[in-house]
Amino acid sequence: MKCHGCGIEIQTNNPDGLGFLPEHIYEKFVGHEDEALCQRCFKLQHYGELLPVPINKNYLNQLKSILHEFDTVLWVIDIIDFEGTYDKDILNLIKDKNIFLIINKVDLLPKTVPFVELKDWVFDRVKNDLNIKKDNIRLISAKKNFGINRLTKILKENEIKKALVVGTTNVGKSSLLNNITNVKITTSSFPGTTLGIVKRKILGTDIELYDTPGIETKKRFTDFFDIYTQVEMIPKRTISRKTFKPDVGKIVFVSALFRFKILSLAKDNLKPIFLIFAPENISFHQTKEERIQDLMKNHIGDVLYPPYEKDYPLNIEFEKEIISIDEGDELAMPGLGWISVRRGPLNIEVIKPKNIELVIRKPLITPKRGNLY
């Protein structure tokens, strides 16, 4: 079987080698060989990202060797996955630079969220980490071309000549660059690095943007899956939400990788009330504790998803954590979404993969706009 994108022979053994295709994806193309895409071509098609040859995933360390060439950095963040994309490793590398924080995918939030309040929320989250002006926080939708012209104007007003563009995978960095530039790319070499950097010019200006490959953090729920599943997890329309009012002892699943048990009643001995916000292809499922084993054994891929295939290889070590979320606060699940507590406190026993850090935060979407239930 050959890749119909680049013509290379497909292989399933070496994820970092050319022509790689995961075995569970390879099997889907048996009988449809002319449609198969290797991992490298798939990433080019869906992310606009051409991986270096050979593939080298150590982008974060390589980024250090070129930062001295730049005074200004455009850091692209996904507002739907703020905790998963506002990565502390990237922060520590670039915090002394002139940073423009590009907050993407604002079109996927409910229309009741005012942009002024959204910018204030972001500023409040980052002000202790970054010496950043509020005007350097730019709200955009690369998909809808919202905020792109204003971003260009701000960069011109600040007399920016060149900037490095960074971000984790899946933040929409490639869509932004395709909209704001003339799309013609020039590979730019820097001494001592094989980082795949691409130079582009912003349309109608002499401002040069240097694009870098998306950083894989290994700290998000999405990072447990291959890029084929990740593409399905990326939200394509306004984020989904569902209200829960469960009894004590009930279990709530969010995908097959995250679940929690209700440990106690909320205030005044009433049931807790909370909303779960997540992209449309991530499942919510409430059940009884005695059904957990059956669901995990027989219903991954249909009732619980992602993953979307029953035989998806999940080699994950889970851990237990007790968490209490006050009424009005949210629990962010990096790469999945968040839980918004409307009657609390919400006391839960969480089962999650190790290395995933859950974050309690002030609400991104507040009840005062008529979203109580």
Side-chain angles (χ1 to χ4, degrees):
M1 186 184 299
K2 292 187 177 181
C3 171
H4 86 259
C6 65
I8 198 168
E9 192 71 29
I10 296 289
Q11 55 91 10
T12 60
N13 298 318
N14 181 10
D16 293 334
L18 295 176
F20 176 71
L21 196 63
E23 190 165 350
H24 70 284
I25 299 293
Y26 177 89
E27 292 171 356
K28 293 182 178 181
F29 288 112
V30 174
H32 305 276
E33 286 81 0
D34 59 337
E35 300 175 8
L37 275 180
C38 71
Q39 175 178 265
R40 187 167 179 266
C41 289
F42 183 89
K43 207 156 192 177
L44 176 61
Q45 182 181 97
H46 289 273
Y47 295 104
E49 181 177 325
L50 184 60
L51 297 173
V53 182
I55 296 170
N56 188 333
K57 297 183 179 179
N58 195 22
Y59 298 141
L60 196 59
N61 285 334
Q62 293 182 31
L63 202 55
K64 297 177 184 178
S65 65
I66 61 169
L67 275 172
H68 68 279
E69 300 278 349
F70 298 89
D71 297 320
T72 299
V73 174
L74 307 189
W75 186 6
V76 185
I77 303 290
D78 180 351
I79 191 60
I80 300 300
D81 186 22
F82 186 90
E83 277 66 30
T85 57
Y86 183 66
D87 183 70
K88 292 303 172 68
D89 290 330
I90 297 176
L91 169 67
N92 290 333
L93 276 182
I94 68 172
K95 62 183 178 182
D96 295 327
K97 300 293 182 180
N98 177 31
I99 296 175
F100 288 82
L101 210 56
I102 314 302
I103 308 300
N104 193 20
K105 305 185 185 179
V106 297
D107 60 302
L108 300 180
L109 291 173
K111 289 181 170 46
T112 53
V113 180
F115 286 161
V116 171
E117 291 185 19
L118 181 57
K119 182 180 281 193
D120 288 342
W121 184 90
V122 173
F123 182 71
D124 189 59
R125 292 299 310 275
V126 306
K127 64 184 180 183
N128 293 328
D129 299 327
L130 298 171
N131 182 20
I132 189 171
K133 298 181 295 185
K134 191 177 288 188
D135 206 39
N136 280 24
I137 298 173
R138 308 310 311 166
L139 307 181
I140 72 160
S141 167
K143 182 180 178 181
K144 298 290 183 66
N145 207 26
F146 169 81
I148 304 298
N149 290 339
R150 181 60 181 161
L151 172 58
T152 299
K153 184 177 180 181
I154 291 292
L155 294 176
K156 289 171 68 175
E157 289 174 353
N158 281 267
E159 299 182 346
I160 304 301
K161 300 302 181 185
K162 71 173 185 177
L164 190 67
V165 185
V166 302
T168 64
T169 54
N170 303 328
V171 294
K173 187 160 56 68
S174 296
S175 296
L176 165 63
L177 287 161
N178 288 342
N179 275 340
I180 203 171
T181 71
N182 58 11
V183 189
K184 294 178 181 178
I185 61 175
T186 305
T187 302
S188 182
S189 298
F190 285 82
T193 179
T194 56
L195 185 65
I197 290 186
V198 168
K199 180 172 70 174
R200 313 188 194 195
K201 278 190 177 181
I202 294 181
L203 282 168
T205 77
D206 291 323
I207 303 172
E208 295 178 341
L209 299 183
Y210 291 75
D211 183 22
T212 59
I215 303 296
E216 295 182 358
T217 70
K218 303 300 181 186
K219 301 172 188 174
R220 302 170 292 178
F221 284 90
T222 47
D223 295 329
F224 287 93
F225 299 107
D226 59 36
I227 59 173
Y228 306 92
T229 300
Q230 289 180 28
V231 164
E232 295 297 319
M233 295 173 70
I234 296 172
K236 299 170 181 62
R237 55 179 183 264
T238 302
I239 193 166
S240 300
R241 65 182 177 184
K242 184 175 180 179
T243 302
F244 291 84
K245 189 179 177 182
D247 292 315
V248 173
K250 283 295 178 71
I251 306 295
V252 179
F253 279 86
V254 184
S255 83
L257 299 192
F258 181 80
R259 67 180 185 269
F260 58 92
K261 179 168 71 173
I262 309 299
L263 295 180
S264 65
L265 293 171
K267 64 182 180 182
D268 301 325
N269 287 322
L270 298 172
K271 295 179 184 179
I273 298 176
F274 55 90
L275 279 71
I276 300 179
F277 291 82
E280 65 271 16
N281 285 335
I282 293 174
S283 67
F284 315 140
H285 184 71
Q286 180 176 310
T287 188
K288 299 176 180 179
E289 191 165 14
E290 55 266 31
R291 285 212 62 219
I292 292 175
Q293 187 174 354
D294 174 60
L295 285 165
M296 292 298 291
K297 183 179 180 180
N298 300 314
H299 294 286
I300 288 179
D302 51 22
V303 176
L304 308 178
Y305 54 87
Y308 306 107
E309 302 91 15
K310 287 183 175 295
D311 57 349
Y312 193 96
L314 283 179
N315 300 312
I316 297 172
E317 187 176 358
F318 288 89
E319 65 181 2
K320 184 185 298 183
E321 184 177 348
I322 305 298
I323 297 176
S324 180
I325 310 126
D326 289 336
E327 183 174 308
D329 285 348
E330 295 175 347
L331 181 71
M333 305 168 286
L336 281 186
W338 65 91
I339 301 167
S340 180
V341 179
R342 302 301 165 86
R343 183 197 288 159
L346 178 63
N347 300 311
I348 55 178
E349 178 187 87
V350 166
I351 304 295
K352 65 179 181 64
K354 283 190 172 181
N355 301 323
I356 294 288
E357 181 182 353
L358 304 174
V359 179
I360 295 175
R361 69 187 191 188
K362 294 302 178 184
L364 176 62
I365 299 175
T366 61
K368 68 182 180 182
R369 303 187 195 104
N371 291 322
L372 180 57
Y373 303 135

